[in-house]
Amino acid sequence: MDGIERKGGSEASDRYPSRLECRGPRNKPMDLSIVILAAGKGTRMRSGIAKVLQPIAGRPLLQHVLETGSQLQANRLVVVYGHAGEQVQAAMRGFQSQATLLWVKQEPQSGTGHAVLCALPVLPPTGKTLILYGDVPFITTQTLQLLLEKSGCGLSMLTMTLQNPSGYGRIYRDHGRVLGIVEEKDADAHQKLITEVNTGILCVDNALLHAEIPCLNNDNAQKEYYLTDLIARVVARGIVVDTVAPQALWEVEGVNDKVQLAALERDWQKAQAKRLMLQGLTIADPLRFDLRGQLTHGSDCYVDINVIFEGQVTLGNHVHIEANCVLKDCVIGDHSRVRAMSSIDSARIEDHCLLGPFARIRPDTHLESGVHVGNFVEVKKSILGRGSKANHLTYLGDAIVGEAVNIGAGTITCNYDGFNKHTTQIDAGVFIGSNNSLVAPVHIHAGATTGAGSVISKDVPENTLAVGRSRQQHIEQWQRPQDRQNKPSDH
Ligand code: UD1
Ligand code: MG
């Protein structure tokens, strides 16, 4: 009924070699498996989205754990799921890793030991396994690396000491040596006073897992198969269990509801802000800073409040980002300034550029040195050459703009005919008057000028003035409609 296939303890134990060969053949890297327990229902999230898909720092909880596993050069990442398996697998379909991603269903959920039992068939007989959790997103590779090193030829686990240990499994020791873990619900009054607790994360030799996990029982207060019982069983073999502590609490914190999700997000963001500030980045307020990817920066960069960094963002030296900007997958060169309320997505901005306020830079845009893009200007899939300016109320899409071009206010590249996108080419030194419609495909050659209000639908030769608007007329003695009806105006 519980889905666990029981094996005789001594028989299973006999299969475990007395002397462990944990290094493997020379020059062959150790085989590493990562088992991610994620079968919990996550009812407290009160969401139609599976718990492990809830976003934190811009990505699903589970994705953070998978990425960490990948960075450790794991051979396989095994996700033990119980609910919404299809939804979770679909969401992770785009995940790229050199490791093999395997999905194991646990039904019913009979405890953490049972979850590992379900994964056992896909774990090789040798090598090591790290046990992680789908709802503990920020465990670092550094801590796990240490845990791996400390595991030697047996088992190591991540523990921490808390002032209030309630709810956690307690680590009991004798003269400093780990003897086992007792769950809160099974602990006596004396054991409940222990402040060293189990984070749940551990590293264990596969040979030990294969020998001991099938022997776990559910003879406890919760009638569950506890993974934590593995510790005492390993100790009984004469193996010394080593422990490692996380660098920060947020590394091992899990989330059960949206309150915890937001609290963990903020703890992590504060830690990222601190790390970046210690590297020399000026952050106006670390409590209003959001990193949802990776940020690299040169010296003397300034980030004002409420800036969101997504994906891979690189800032050069002396870059200034004003308040309320969203910067995604972009490179911004030295001495450039992004003024308030601007959005940049997948673009390359060179040095000494000035953007915004309220600029929208869309994918595949390249702004060369000294370009100015002002308020309410949208640029998509365009190149703007050195020193060119589009300062107000403009849309440039699929445009190739040369150097020192001035684009007047209210200019629109009409790049879409309802079916195809067409290119607008504007060569060096062109002056586009205000409120122009540039009907693509169209080529405005070097040094040309277009009159304000023009609709430019034909190529403009070099150094000419193009005026594409109806001539102004004057109708004399003309009367407004209300005058003709002899009614006084309301105004
Ligand atoms: C567990 C540990 C406890 C530790 C605590 C740290 C056990 C028996 N206890 O307790 O020592 O201090 O974590 O937070 O391991 N899960 C499954 N399948 C199951 C049960 C759980 O995949 O059948 C997953 C859950 O989705 C969750 C994780 O394992 O991500 C931990 O389960 P949970 O029920 O929260 O364990 P705790 O009681 O907190
Ligand atoms: Mg828990």
Side-chain angles (χ1 to χ4, degrees), residues 50 52-53 62 79 81 83-95 101-105:
V52 291
L53 294 184
L62 179 61
V79 183
Y81 70 96
H83 298 275
E86 272 173 31
Q87 190 189 50
V88 177
Q89 287 176 46
M92 292 299 122
R93 214 148 272 156
F95 178 74
L101 184 55
L102 300 165
W103 300 88
V104 170
K105 185 160 193 186

Side-chain angles (χ1 to χ4, degrees), residues 110-351:
S110 305
T112 48
H114 177 243
V116 175
L117 180 80
C118 294
L120 222 46
V122 299
L123 301 179
T126 57
K128 287 178 190 289
T129 294
L130 270 172
I131 309 284
L132 305 181
Y133 298 83
D135 56 1
V136 180
F138 293 136
I139 183 68
T140 63
T141 49
Q142 292 88 326
T143 297
L144 293 176
Q145 204 73 57
L146 203 60
L147 197 66
L148 268 164
E149 285 161 21
K150 287 277 177 113
S151 68
C153 296
L155 187 149
S156 61
M157 58 183 183
L158 199 62
T159 71
M160 59 183 171
T161 300
L162 296 177
Q163 271 183 346
N164 175 13
S166 107
Y168 287 90
R170 310 295 208 283
I171 314 296
Y172 57 95
R173 294 178 183 255
D174 180 34
H175 294 90
R177 279 179 75 139
V178 172
L179 294 185
I181 300 176
V182 58
E183 289 304 298
E184 163 105 1
K185 288 188 176 134
D186 302 288
D188 60 32
H190 184 69
Q191 287 168 325
K192 279 186 181 154
L193 295 175
I194 300 172
T195 53
E196 187 188 7
V197 302
N198 174 32
T199 65
I201 292 171
L202 55 87
C203 179
V204 57
D205 255 58
N206 286 5
L208 272 176
L209 273 184
H210 281 285
E212 293 294 355
I213 289 290
C215 308
L216 295 176
N217 64 53
N218 64 352
D219 187 13
N220 53 53
Q222 300 184 82
K223 295 280 168 269
E224 282 186 359
Y225 295 89
Y226 289 166
L227 177 62
T228 45
D229 285 350
L230 178 66
I231 312 306
R233 301 188 70 92
V234 167
V235 170
R237 290 172 170 273
I239 291 171
V240 176
V241 169
D242 221 333
T243 60
V244 172
Q247 298 278 305
L249 203 58
W250 51 257
E251 275 195 68
V252 294
E253 240 157 358
V255 287
N256 294 308
D257 57 33
K258 301 271 171 82
V259 176
Q260 291 175 354
L261 193 66
L264 181 58
E265 165 105 37
R266 206 36 45 202
D267 283 350
W268 188 80
Q269 293 295 355
K270 274 191 273 180
Q272 300 316 303
K274 185 176 175 187
R275 173 178 62 79
L276 291 159
M277 289 188 293
L278 290 172
Q279 286 172 12
L281 181 68
T282 304
I283 296 177
D285 182 359
L287 297 178
R288 285 176 291 173
F289 169 84
D290 283 273
L291 177 59
R292 299 174 185 170
Q294 262 92 42
L295 172 63
T296 53
H297 60 88
S299 65
D300 295 301
C301 292
Y302 182 91
V303 177
D304 214 322
I305 59 165
N306 296 334
V307 175
I308 298 173
F309 295 96
E310 290 183 35
Q312 301 281 340
V313 176
T314 303
L315 309 179
N317 300 312
H318 299 273
V319 174
H320 189 119
I321 313 293
E322 293 186 9
N324 304 319
C325 291
V326 180
L327 273 61
K328 181 180 178 193
D329 293 317
C330 58
V331 177
I332 301 182
D334 297 351
H335 295 279
S336 284
R337 187 178 185 108
V338 182
R339 300 180 72 186
M341 320 289 176
S342 295
S343 157
I344 302 175
D345 181 359
S346 308
R348 187 170 144 221
I349 317 291
E350 291 192 22
D351 59 298

Side-chain angles (χ1 to χ4, degrees), residues 386-459:
R386 274 178 159 268
S388 287
K389 296 186 173 92
N391 272 327
H392 331 265
L393 304 154
T394 286
Y395 171 61
L396 297 172
D398 305 289
I400 302 167
V401 179
E403 292 182 16
V405 168
N406 189 81
I407 311 272
T411 295
I412 306 285
T413 52
C414 310
N415 59 331
Y416 186 48
D417 60 13
F419 192 71
N420 292 305
K421 295 281 168 68
H422 300 284
T423 303
T424 301
Q425 189 168 340
I426 305 172
D427 291 346
V430 164
F431 184 99
I432 303 287
S434 295
N435 203 29
N436 272 213
S437 296
L438 309 175
V439 184
V442 70
H443 187 168
I444 302 160
H445 289 264
T449 302
T450 64
S454 290
V455 176
I456 303 292
S457 53
K458 285 187 243 156
D459 291 358

Side-chain angles (χ1 to χ4, degrees), residues 480 482-483 487-491:
R480 294 177 186 170
Q482 64 261 52
D483 289 344
K487 281 187 187 160
S489 166
D490 289 343
H491 304 293

